[in-house]
Amino acid sequence: MKELSLYFSYPFVRYAIIVGILIALCSSLLGVILVLKRFSFIGDGLSHVAFGAVSVATVFNLTDNMVLVLPVTIIAAIILLKGGTGGKIKGDASIAMMSVGALAFGYLAMNVFSSGANLAGDVCTTLFGSTSILTLTKEKVMLCIVLSVIVIAIFILFYNKIFAVTFDENFAVATGINTRKYNLLIAIIIAVIVVLAMNLVGSLLISALVVFPALASMCVFKSFLSVTVSSAIFSVVCTSVGLLISVLAGSPVGATIVCIDILVFFAFYIIGRVKG
């Protein structure tokens, strides 16, 4: 406890905890929607798109890569969701194409044009989030807080509409709900959370942060509200524990959080099997 209190005296540790909890909360809300809409893998696809955008921003030495990364990821999310519901190239295929293409383009751009001395380190940090969460500036923390509050507020305000669009889009259309508008809203939320989560777990581990809390909660609970609440608690607790272990043990932040998620998921799975 003395060592832990010493670490908490450093601002970067407090920033990491705040940002980690907010991202975990937002990701858990998003995860329930994506799992029910059969778009669990979209977080992984968008994270690779964001990696490509980060690579381009690095090549052009942009001081704030969010200016490029966020719009590109939002556009990709809209294209993927639209393609998954009505396009000629269906959901899983479009996600695979965009994911692999963006990852390859980003890595190629960093190899050919980047002037950084530690290319392997830059790529590893972006893919696995090894140190970025512990090097957050006060401005980035404030931006994360603002975006997270907006995401949570939108989810609460439009909860009923999001619920209807998630479970039965055809019925939602029949009741007069503008499903295109709410699918666009969901796409924007997905993109914002993916960009934020890159600082926490990196590009390759975002899907775990999105999917594990929702799947674990569905093993035990049955209603949409109870699954959403359980998923939020699961995600916040696992992320907090993972961050603390990472700080104390010096292990990679993203990988530690995902391993905690996996362990707790299996505990939920066993509880669900026992309940029948």
Side-chain angles (χ1 to χ4, degrees), residues 9-110:
S9 65
Y10 297 109
F12 72 89
V13 175
R14 297 197 296 270
Y15 291 163
I17 295 293
I18 293 169
V19 170
I21 289 174
L22 287 173
I23 292 173
L25 182 57
C26 293
S27 299
S28 63
L29 300 178
L30 168 80
V32 177
I33 298 170
L34 292 183
V35 169
L36 291 173
K37 286 177 76 69
R38 301 294 190 269
F39 271 101
S40 303
F41 206 55
I42 196 171
D44 194 59
L46 289 178
S47 68
H48 293 167
V49 172
F51 170 79
V54 168
S55 302
V56 173
T58 303
V59 169
F60 284 99
N61 294 318
L62 294 180
T63 53
D64 185 6
N65 60 23
M66 195 76 76
V67 175
L68 177 66
V69 177
L70 191 56
V72 169
T73 311
I74 289 174
I75 293 169
I78 294 170
I79 293 171
L80 288 178
L81 282 181
K82 186 178 180 181
T85 55
K88 291 183 179 180
I89 303 175
K90 295 302 178 183
D92 57 345
S94 59
I95 291 172
M97 288 174 59
M98 192 171 288
S99 174
V100 174
L103 194 63
F105 177 79
Y107 187 64
L108 181 64
M110 291 187 78

Side-chain angles (χ1 to χ4, degrees), residues 58-216:
T58 303
V59 169
F60 284 99
N61 294 318
L62 294 180
T63 53
D64 185 6
N65 60 23
M66 195 76 76
V67 175
L68 177 66
V69 177
L70 191 56
V72 169
T73 311
I74 289 174
I75 293 169
I78 294 170
I79 293 171
L80 288 178
L81 282 181
K82 186 178 180 181
T85 55
K88 291 183 179 180
I89 303 175
K90 295 302 178 183
D92 57 345
S94 59
I95 291 172
M97 288 174 59
M98 192 171 288
S99 174
V100 174
L103 194 63
F105 177 79
Y107 187 64
L108 181 64
M110 291 187 78
N111 266 274
V112 175
F113 300 106
S114 179
S115 57
N118 186 17
L119 177 62
D122 292 340
V123 172
C124 184
T125 298
T126 307
L127 291 179
F128 295 100
S130 55
T131 58
S132 54
I133 189 64
L134 297 177
T135 56
L136 293 171
T137 62
K138 192 173 182 179
E139 290 74 20
K140 283 191 175 182
V141 173
M142 291 304 299
L143 178 63
C144 179
I145 291 172
V146 171
L147 291 176
S148 299
V149 169
I150 291 172
V151 167
I152 295 167
I154 288 173
F155 187 88
I156 294 171
L157 287 173
F158 299 106
Y159 173 82
N160 291 329
K161 299 291 192 301
I162 291 173
F163 171 81
V165 172
T166 300
F167 267 98
D168 194 336
E169 195 164 325
N170 293 327
F171 178 76
V173 171
T175 57
I177 295 174
N178 188 341
T179 55
R180 286 187 177 184
K181 182 175 73 174
Y182 288 101
N183 276 324
L184 177 63
L185 189 65
I186 291 171
I188 293 172
I189 292 173
I190 292 169
V192 171
I193 293 173
V194 165
V195 172
L196 292 178
M198 283 185 68
N199 284 325
L200 182 63
V201 295
S203 297
L204 293 183
L205 304 177
I206 287 174
S207 286
L209 200 67
V210 170
V211 172
F212 274 117
L215 289 179

